[in-house]
Amino acid sequence: MSDPTSPKIPVTVLTGYLGAGKTTLLNRILSENHGKKYAVIVNEFGEIGIDNDLIIGADEEVFEMNNGCVCCTVRGDLVRILDGLMKRKGKFDAIIVETTGLADPAPVAQTFFVDEDVQKNARLDAVVTVADAKWLSDRLKDAPEAKNQIAFADVIVLNKTDLVSKAELDEVEARIRAINPYAKLHRTERCQVALSDVLERGAFDLDRILEIEPEFLQAGDGHDHDHHHHDHGHDHSHDGKSAGGLKHYHDEDMQSLSLRSDKPLDATKFMPWLQNLVASEGQKILRSKGILAFSDDDDRYVFQGVHMMLEGDHQRAWKEGEPRQSRLVFIGRELPEQTIRDGFERCITT
Amino acid sequence: MKEFDPGDSAASIISVTDKVRPVAIPAPVTSVHFLGDRAAFVGAEENVFLASGAGEITPVAVHGGGILCAACDGTRLLLGSDDGKLVSLDAKGEVTPLATDAKRRWIDNVALHPDGAFAWSAGKTAFVRSGKAEEKSFEVPSTVGGLAFAPKGLRLAIAHYNGVTLWFPNMVATAEVLEWAGSHLGVTFSPDNKFLVTAMHEPALHGWRLADTRHMRMTGYPGRVRSMSWSAGGKALATSGADSVIMWPFASKDGPMGKEPAMLAPLSARVSAVACHPRQDILAAGYSDGTILMVRLTDGAEILVRRNGGAQVAGLAWNPKGTLLAYAAEDGDSGLLEL
């Protein structure tokens, strides 16, 4: 649960490829009768006007950190703007950052991991990606940015569903699920989505990493299987397996990988392994999350990460009768699956 | 041995807390300056609060939004805001509008030249206005992180991503670029005009010796350096960002190259503001736990000005004669000390 007394301002990041409907969603959020005031950081003063008192134009400046790590990038403009906005604390309840259609969400998210002052005053709530039901499948083929935005998302608003047939819609959803089975997905026309589905998600709140099950499994047949157990070596889409009524694709270069163990993990082996993994493969790993059961530890340990940056903490005691199962999820590009699986196996106590 | 008293270590510090005149600013404060002998407390938004020696507070409306930057030369206080305006405030409380950004962009930085010229920035553009001369502008490759005038001549240092641009607004010559990878957010010239130092987004300072642009890396800080102050005569640069005041030596021709900094007044809190006395080898240091100390540079002797337990110290200032010290805490709980 998020702490209602927490003075940290929630920040929602709105991404999506050009023309998917980001500004439509933004205007919906702003015009809804929610009694809240938003500060909006936009990068394109587009043709569609935005009706809000506090709009800040940003330059989307991606800065490399001076630590020799090419994926450690932050949004320099956000550091500056959030710093300035904090002088007006009390004038707004939340911040929405709309990125350009070609933006990589990682530097935005990493800004919240890296910058001390940003961390002190604001918290990343969720990355919301608006996708165009008609054109997303094409963009996933020709635009790496679009794929990044889907892979990175906590919430996906699959928009313009009225422009495609049911079969086309299932097709594009299956394509999305091949990349990111964990995001909450909402099918919408003109971004008609409940605001509670896109705001105050707490997706980066360690206390709210409650479940990291693929969403289509929950919604689907409830059959508890790990879809990554079957062969990954093929490079074509296949329709062989059905889950939750959806076709099942594999994306050629962006995948998710889930690991689980019913036996406790050895913290002295796991922590160095995880740190080493993100240090060596962090460029490929876009997002990571985990709930962990360590031997000789009665607390659940939770972690999350963006590329090489990790944060983790003891969350709460395991409940009576709760299965002490460790679960990890990685979403990334060309993940070295077997290496990760083997490394993880070696962290399980015997 | 029940009479044995190990002594309260805090009690061994000389305290002047009872001599401080409290100034309760009714708003969050981000910095403090002196206009003559009147302290000007800069609110986080809209107002500056002028305080006289008697502790009387006069609010002055200066902006229609958040106040993002301030620069003061003792007679004028220049303030830039997210309302896109730059204004000047004098000791009488008179506000003079100086500039309005055509696109209503945020005025992120401001700097004052001893001869009256001033500079400000919005986005990637730095502007200079001097005397009767027309306004001039210069665009750098990324958003301006900081501005500083050189102590001699009309020369402006513009800090940005991957370096600093040195611009002579009145000369046709192309600007000189001092490169160093990373985001530079604050900039200052040494008073002898020999060195340029930037505070970076990462917890480090970077410096250049201007004669040969030799680099100086000043690292080891646990946090970003947000406050820098040159000691009287420019012999050393005092900085915030660590749990003690870090003083880099600049007295020799090599500056801090190959030298260790002095570490003064260590506490178990982060230094958030520093201000060196204008004439003597004394500085005031404010901390994240609200503590304020006066420190003698020669031997590190400390005097307690404000106890811990209050809000983080947002700003410190001496009047030009060095007879008054003003401090501002983030929540407005401020004070004046006459020496």
Side-chain angles (χ1 to χ4, degrees):
Chain A
M1 291 296 290
S2 67
D3 178 7
T5 61
S6 162
K8 290 192 182 185
I9 308 265
V11 182
T12 302
V13 178
L14 211 53
T15 76
Y17 208 69
L18 305 162
K22 286 189 303 277
T23 310
T24 310
L25 178 57
L26 181 57
N27 271 329
R28 255 189 50 69
I29 293 171
L30 298 174
S31 60
E32 197 101 331
N33 187 18
H34 40 52
K36 286 199 169 172
K37 286 202 188 81
Y38 291 92
V40 180
I41 303 171
V42 292
N43 287 280
E44 300 148 331
F45 283 96
E47 307 85 72
I48 311 169
I50 297 162
D51 184 20
N52 197 51
D53 287 342
L54 210 49
I55 299 177
I56 304 105
D59 283 317
E60 212 154 88
E61 295 180 315
V62 176
F63 291 174
E64 275 173 40
M65 299 299 288
N66 255 342
N67 55 9
C69 154
V70 286
C71 60
C72 289
T73 49
V74 299
R75 281 273 303 272
D77 57 319
L78 263 190
V79 171
R80 176 181 59 86
I81 289 167
L82 291 174
D83 200 37
L85 272 178
M86 289 313 149
K87 305 201 168 176
R88 309 209 68 193
K89 258 185 181 174
K91 292 284 191 293
F92 54 91
D93 307 294
I95 298 171
I96 301 171
V97 181
E98 184 191 9
T99 72
T100 60
L102 299 174
D104 175 3
V108 184
Q110 289 177 159
T111 304
F112 291 81
F113 281 75
V114 165
D115 192 87
E116 200 183 18
D117 297 288
V118 169
Q119 256 180 6
K120 199 168 85 183
N121 295 309
R123 60 174 176 85
L124 184 55
D125 186 64
V127 175
V128 177
T129 299
V130 185
D132 183 325
K134 190 163 176 61
W135 296 110
L136 182 71
S137 295
D138 287 349
R139 293 296 81 77
L140 291 179
K141 288 180 199 134
D142 63 17
E145 299 88 356
K147 199 176 270 187
N148 254 337
Q149 291 163 357
I150 294 293
F152 217 91
D154 299 294
V155 177
I156 295 169
V157 177
L158 184 55
N159 193 33
K160 306 194 185 179
T161 53
D162 50 329
L163 302 183
V164 294
S165 68
K166 172 78 170 68
E168 286 172 305
L169 194 56
D170 286 347
E171 168 83 12
V172 70
E173 186 166 334
R175 297 274 175 198
I176 290 171
R177 287 313 186 189
I179 296 166
N180 185 343
Y182 302 97
K184 295 279 176 202
L185 188 145
H186 304 279
R187 297 179 171 192
T188 64
E189 294 172 22
R190 285 171 291 280
C191 290
Q192 295 287 338
V193 60
L195 294 192
S196 58
D197 286 334
V198 289
L199 301 173
E200 286 296 336
R201 302 299 307 166
F204 287 83
D205 184 348
L206 281 176
D207 280 342
R208 283 169 69 170
I209 301 183
L210 299 174
E211 43 192 62
I212 46 176
E213 298 297 321
E215 213 204 12
F216 68 84
L217 289 182
Q218 294 175 347
D221 54 14
H223 177 186
D224 187 20
H225 60 208
D226 185 337
H227 77 291
H228 285 281
H229 278 158
H230 54 248
D231 181 25
H232 242 268
H234 52 163
D235 58 0
H236 59 275
S237 301
H238 66 123
D239 304 339
K241 201 156 189 173
S242 162
L246 285 176
K247 280 194 261 181
H248 192 180
Y249 286 107
H250 276 294
D251 192 87
E252 285 174 33
D253 59 4
M254 195 78 86
Q255 310 92 24
S256 66
L257 172 58
S258 81
L259 305 167
R260 68 177 66 195
S261 168
D262 290 314
K263 289 184 194 158
L265 306 176
D266 180 343
T268 63
K269 288 181 183 164
F270 178 84
M271 290 304 200
W273 170 73
L274 180 67
Q275 268 151 15
N276 198 31
L277 176 68
V278 298
S280 58
E281 305 290 346
Q283 231 177 314
K284 294 177 182 165
I285 301 168
L286 270 66
R287 296 281 298 265
S288 56
K289 270 183 195 185
I291 300 171
L292 309 169
F294 291 129
S295 51
D296 309 319
D297 190 342
D298 286 329
D299 283 348
R300 278 160 58 120
Y301 191 89
V302 291
F303 81 91
Q304 60 163 328
V306 171
H307 287 305
M308 289 191 181
M309 291 164 194
L310 286 176
E311 64 172 7
D313 209 346
H314 289 281
Q315 185 191 30
R316 59 164 171 82
W318 288 99
K319 287 179 192 149
E320 193 86 15
E322 183 181 21
R324 295 196 180 191
Q325 188 185 55
S326 296
R327 281 163 294 161
L328 284 79
V329 168
F330 296 96
I331 295 177
R333 198 180 288 280
E334 290 158 4
L335 294 175
E337 180 176 357
Q338 207 49 48
T339 314
I340 295 175
R341 287 194 183 284
D342 293 347
F344 179 67
E345 290 295 326
R346 285 193 285 275
C347 302
I348 299 170
T349 53
T350 46
Chain B
M1 291 287 284
K2 68 180 180 1
E3 297 92 344
F4 178 75
D5 179 6
D8 183 358
S9 64
S12 65
I13 287 186
I14 301 165
S15 169
V16 291
T17 51
D18 55 332
K19 296 198 175 68
V20 170
R21 201 170 306 127
V23 182
I25 305 296
V29 176
T30 54
S31 66
V32 60
H33 310 267
F34 271 99
L35 289 167
D37 286 340
R38 286 187 100 184
F41 296 87
V42 178
E45 49 185 346
E46 294 169 6
N47 295 306
V48 170
F49 302 86
L50 292 172
S52 66
E56 200 177 296
I57 303 167
T58 315
V60 184
V62 290
H63 279 296
I67 302 170
L68 301 175
C69 53
C72 187
D73 62 6
T75 54
R76 290 192 303 170
L77 174 60
L78 266 55
L79 303 147
S81 165
D82 63 14
D83 66 5
K85 289 177 181 151
L86 178 72
V87 303
S88 169
L89 175 72
D90 68 12
K92 283 176 275 179
E94 210 155 293
V95 180
T96 312
L98 296 177
T100 303
D101 190 75
K103 294 179 218 156
R104 207 189 168 278
R105 290 176 298 178
W106 289 14
I107 309 296
D108 294 314
N109 297 284
V110 61
L112 265 167
H113 192 278
D115 77 2
F118 56 91
W120 70 99
S121 75
K124 296 172 186 171
T125 312
F127 302 85
V128 163
R129 206 181 291 162
S130 60
K132 288 154 278 176
E134 62 193 289
E135 186 177 303
K136 293 200 168 92
S137 69
F138 189 87
E139 187 158 322
V140 290
S142 63
T143 300
V144 176
L147 295 171
F149 279 107
K152 289 181 199 117
L154 191 67
R155 186 187 207 190
L156 185 69
I158 308 165
H160 46 81
Y161 183 52
N162 285 345
V164 179
T165 297
L166 294 173
W167 174 43
F168 291 93
N170 288 341
M171 285 166 74
V172 197
T174 48
E176 183 184 356
V177 180
L178 303 173
E179 286 182 20
W180 185 257
S183 181
H184 301 262
L185 294 175
V187 59
T188 179
F189 282 90
S190 64
D192 62 7
N193 208 11
K194 285 184 178 149
F195 300 96
L196 184 76
V197 178
T198 61
M200 301 192 65
H201 177 241
E202 64 196 81
L205 301 182
H206 195 79
W208 291 266
R209 183 162 65 186
L210 291 169
D212 56 4
T213 67
R214 236 183 102 176
H215 292 282
M216 301 177 279
R217 294 215 68 191
M218 289 163 270
T219 57
Y221 292 91
R224 200 209 288 180
V225 179
R226 288 185 162 250
S227 178
M228 301 190 278
S229 175
W230 292 96
S231 69
K235 284 175 287 194
L237 179 66
T239 59
S240 70
D243 57 4
S244 59
V245 178
I246 306 294
M247 296 281 299
W248 295 96
F250 276 86
S252 80
K253 66 172 174 50
D254 288 334
M257 281 183 259
K259 296 191 189 81
E260 291 287 313
M263 291 186 273
L264 301 173
L267 284 185
S268 53
R270 190 80 63 79
V271 177
S272 55
V274 287
C276 292
H277 190 278
R279 293 175 187 182
Q280 295 172 42
D281 281 340
I282 295 171
L283 68 78
Y287 294 76
S288 56
D289 67 355
T291 308
I292 295 170
L293 296 170
M294 278 196 291
V295 188
R296 192 156 60 202
L297 302 185
T298 45
D299 60 359
E302 298 162 14
I303 295 172
L304 185 68
V305 178
R306 184 180 189 245
R307 286 182 198 289
N308 64 4
Q312 171 162 309
V313 178
L316 293 161
W318 297 91
N319 68 339
K321 284 177 283 184
T323 53
L324 288 167
L325 171 68
Y327 68 79
E330 280 183 350
D331 62 355
D333 179 21
S334 306
L336 281 167
L337 174 67
E338 194 166 351
L339 293 158

